[in-house]
Structures are given as structure tokens and as C-alpha cells.
Amino acid sequence: MNSILKRLTFLAIVFVTIFSSCETEKETDGPYFGNGFHNGWADQTSIVIWTRLTQNPEGNAGGTEFISISSKEENDLDKEGDAAKIHAAQIPEGLTLDDMIGACPGAIGEVKLVYYPLTNSENKTETEWVAVDNDKNFTTQWKLENLTADTKYVVQIEARLDEKSKVSDNIEGAFRTPPTETGEDDIEFCVVTCHDYIRKDTTDGHKIYSAMMDLFPDFYVHTGDIEYYDKPDPWAMTEELMRFKWDRLFAMPLQRNFWSQVTTYYMKDDHDALKNDAWPGMKYGPVTWDRGLEIFDKEQFPSHDKFYKTVRWGKDLQIWITEGRNYRSHNDMEDGPGKSIYGPEQKAWLYKTLKESDATFKVVINANPILGPDRKNKRDNYANEGFQTEGDEIREFLNQFDNVYLCNGDRHWQYVTNPEGTNLWEFSCGAGSDVHAGGWSQEDERPQHRFLRVKGGFLRGHVSRESGSPTLTFQHIDVDGNIVHEEVFAK
Ligand SMILES: [Fe+2]
């Protein structure tokens, strides 16, 4: 679909969304769609849609600030693991989480989903009304199957309290399915990482979402650290606080609008699994590792039977979405054969599918870097000494290809790395806001760096045959949408 048509579609959908929500906000007591809806794991024939019912149409912008506590207090509370103490230390006496700034509490009720191809509105598929799951933070999910490839779909969801009630809210948005391996149309995508509520750069959310909405990519990948449990106001050391942070983030208008319009792949990383550099078996406060994974993988984001996937996006592009937390060894294990991040099964799948693919460009999207460089004191990723054995093996494997490109999140600075004499390229998208950027010195430009910028923004990829032969363009973009670096690869 060309960009003008994409824009017109978007404007039409936004109009309907705004019109609908204004109407319902005045006329009903809810439940509402304060968290919008998300999609995930799209391929040519299927996608997962997620939504949540809320007591209010918006987050509680006038809520009370949390009591700020020090890192030492956080550390002590984490060790003690007492949920009541964790809450008492951060929530003023007499108040509940619903009173706190940004709160978007859940609501019981029922939802119904309708979807249809944009150019064929007669061909509607309508689900039954279904109650949201109170035990899963008032969320529900649908897996839509038998979709048509390379098609823009409109999604409409209605809410009601129960079968005796009128519709209390409705939302409308869209997604598109990928083209098959024969599709030659341009494909645009964006990659982001690392943002949270406390480091947003407007009251409505992160500016990158405005900039990306202007580009209206065909799909977008969030490489994880979508929120940070282990950052203050509040330190989310209980399940209730973890959910609070998701509810608050999902209510931010810039994010909410983007996520309801664009095909999305959500990945997770340490801060939204549990805490910094987390690995299997850890706890945060009373929350276990398994529970942390369950909240992300099964409740707060579109679910999938596996946590990694490869998707063809036309003749010239195939993407790999990898999983970097679920299968990893303990970070403090001595490096050597057997110490892994991907885990043996995922690694075998990655190697096999990369070899089998005949896509012109192969883009492997990882939460964490494989090339780096990264700081000497880190021991959490393949660019660190702690995982050097498997890292070297993977780098050697990837070097046989001249059409594999790595993208990563996690690091809070933008870079392009291409070690001299290798086929290896890595693009770090950078943190989601300037205030969130850091962790590397702008002066510390190494020989393998083709580009280095210690600021926020995102990465844009563009596959095109406009010049007659296929090209893949990567652009680093700042938080306001300005291009700050570009690399073009032609085949
Ligand atoms: Fe991060």
C-alpha cells in the first residue's frame, strides 16, 4: 500500500476512534478501553489481539505522586520480599494504587471483536461476547486465523458490563498482514527499545511515537524494556505494582494510538521480565522468575506458543524475532561451552531458518547486542566476556552470510557496528527518549563503529525495489523524527 493511501486510512480510523470515544465517554459509566488494544505475532494468516477493560477512559493524570524511596531502601525491601511493606513504603497512608498518578484500574465486563479487510467491509468476522479475565488483570486475547496475506484489516472492539447492558465503549484500529515471499512492494519498519513512564518526554507519552506515526511503518518491533519494574515511583516489586506500571504505560495517548494502528512485535528484556540483567531463578521482592515471565508472556502482551518467530515480509525481507531471557544460563556462570542465551533449541532453529531462507535481506532482531561494543563491566549479552564462547560461535556462523543484519535494543545509545573485514552489521536503535540515553561516552568511538550517538530515538528500516534492484536502508532517527544517520545496502 502506498504511503498516501496508508495516511488516508489512518486519518479515517483516527476520526472514527475519536468520534466514538467522545460519544461514549459522556453517555456511559464504562467499562472503557483506557488501555486501547495491542496486536502481536503477526504472520500472513494470523495475529493475536489483546485488550483490557478499565474503569475510566483515561489514566489518572491528577493522581498522587508515589513516596520516593532510595535504592538502598529498595534493595532492603527486595531482600525482605514483604508485599505489604513494599506498598506501605511507597503509597501514602490511606490511599490505594487507584489513587496514584497515572493509574488506570481494570474493570469487569465483556468485549466483542469485529474485523474485516479495509477494502472489503462486507466481509466481517464477529466474535461472541466474552468476559475479560479478572485473574489476568481484566485482559483478554483473541487469535485471529485464516487471514489473507498482504492485507490491511480494520479492528473494532466493543465493551459492555454484561448482557443486560448497552455498549459502554468502542475502539477502532487496524493492522496489516505481511506479504508472502513473492511480494515486491516496499516495506517499512521501525525498531525501538527502552522506555518507561517516568522518562517520557511529553505528558502524553514518548515523542518517538508521534515521529513513527508520521512514517506509518508496515510493522514495528519493540525489543524490550517497554517498562522498568526496577525503577522508582514506584519500584514494582509486587505483582500489583507490576500491573500498575503496565496499566499506566498503556494509557499514554501517543503509545496507545500507535499500538492500535500498527502491526507490532513485542519482545521482552530484563526490566520487564523482572529486574536488571535478570536470569532464570531470580526473584524481585516476592515475585518469582516464573511469575514475571507469566505476567509478560501470558497476560500483559499478546501470547504465542513459542517466544521466537521468523516472518517473511515479502520477497526481499525476512525478520527473526528472538527471545533472550527465557532460555538463558545464569549470568554468573563461568563462560564456556554450554553457557547460552538463546538456548540450544532456539539457536538450532535460528541457524536452520537463516540457512533455508532465500529472502534478499535477513534481519535478525535481538533484545541484546551480539556485536556491541558494550561496557567492560557488563556480563549480560553476547558482546560481553561472560558469554564470549557462544557469542564467538554465533558471530562466526553469521559471518558466512553477506545479507544478514542484526538489530538490537537494550543499550541506551544508537550505533552501527561493522568490524573491519567481516560481513557483520549491527544496528542499535537507542533509548526511547533523550533523558533515557546514556551508558556510553560520545567520545569513545571505536574502530568497529560506523556511527555512534548517545541520544534517544529509533531505527527505521526500508526495503525497496524503486531503483530497479533491491535495497535495504537503515536510518537512525532522533526523538523528533530527524534522520541522523543512514546506511544503504544494495543487492
Ligand atoms: Fe534498558
Side-chain angles (χ1 to χ4, degrees), residues 66 73 256 313 382-383 447 475:
F66 284 89
E73 283 175 272
R256 189 175 59 195
W313 273 87
Y382 287 130
Q475 293 171 334

Side-chain angles (χ1 to χ4, degrees), residues 193-195 199 224-228 231 269-271 276 409-412 431 436:
T193 192
C194 297
H195 58 47
R199 284 171 282 186
D225 291 351
I226 304 167
E227 235 316 331
Y228 284 62
K231 287 288 172 189
D269 202 7
D270 46 350
H271 298 281
N276 190 37
D410 180 34
R411 304 299 70 202
H412 296 184
H436 202 132

Side-chain angles (χ1 to χ4, degrees), residues 297-457:
D297 292 332
K298 301 290 182 192
E299 176 183 298
Q300 292 298 140
F301 289 89
S303 296
H304 190 53
D305 50 353
K306 273 199 160 52
F307 306 111
Y308 48 86
K309 183 164 181 156
T310 178
V311 185
R312 193 69 180 249
W313 273 87
K315 190 176 176 67
D316 295 325
L317 179 63
Q318 184 165 340
I319 61 164
W320 281 258
I321 304 291
T322 68
E323 164 53 51
R325 290 289 149 192
N326 293 33
Y327 313 115
R328 71 165 51 214
S329 308
H330 292 194
N331 286 9
D332 59 0
M333 185 177 156
E334 197 179 330
D335 185 40
K339 188 176 183 186
S340 185
I341 291 177
Y342 283 148
E345 197 180 308
Q346 180 178 206
K347 193 167 63 179
W349 159 84
L350 178 66
Y351 286 9
K352 181 170 180 285
T353 50
L354 274 171
K355 278 186 182 160
E356 285 171 352
S357 169
D358 64 355
T360 314
F361 302 106
K362 307 177 190 190
V363 175
V364 180
I365 304 168
N366 297 296
N368 312 125
I370 289 184
L371 304 188
D374 192 15
R375 294 195 301 278
K376 194 80 183 153
N377 63 349
K378 292 288 291 184
R379 47 180 190 169
D380 186 56
N381 63 61
Y382 287 130
N384 303 144
E385 284 175 9
F387 286 96
Q388 188 170 345
T389 305
E390 191 176 49
D392 285 345
E393 179 209 309
I394 291 166
R395 286 183 283 269
E396 195 183 320
F397 173 81
L398 295 174
N399 198 36
Q400 72 183 286
F401 302 96
D402 64 358
N403 61 349
V404 171
Y405 305 86
L406 304 171
C407 299
N408 68 287
D410 180 34
R411 304 299 70 202
H412 296 184
W413 63 95
Q414 297 183 319
Y415 67 76
V416 180
T417 287
N418 169 229
E420 207 181 331
T422 75
N423 291 322
L424 304 171
W425 287 86
E426 184 164 77
F427 296 81
S428 170
C429 59
S433 62
D434 284 338
V435 69
H436 202 132
W440 194 265
S441 163
Q442 186 61 55
E443 282 69 50
D444 191 5
E445 200 163 335
R446 307 274 174 93
Q448 62 268 50
H449 276 138
R450 293 291 186 104
F451 170 65
L452 173 67
R453 179 173 174 270
V454 189
K455 286 274 191 185

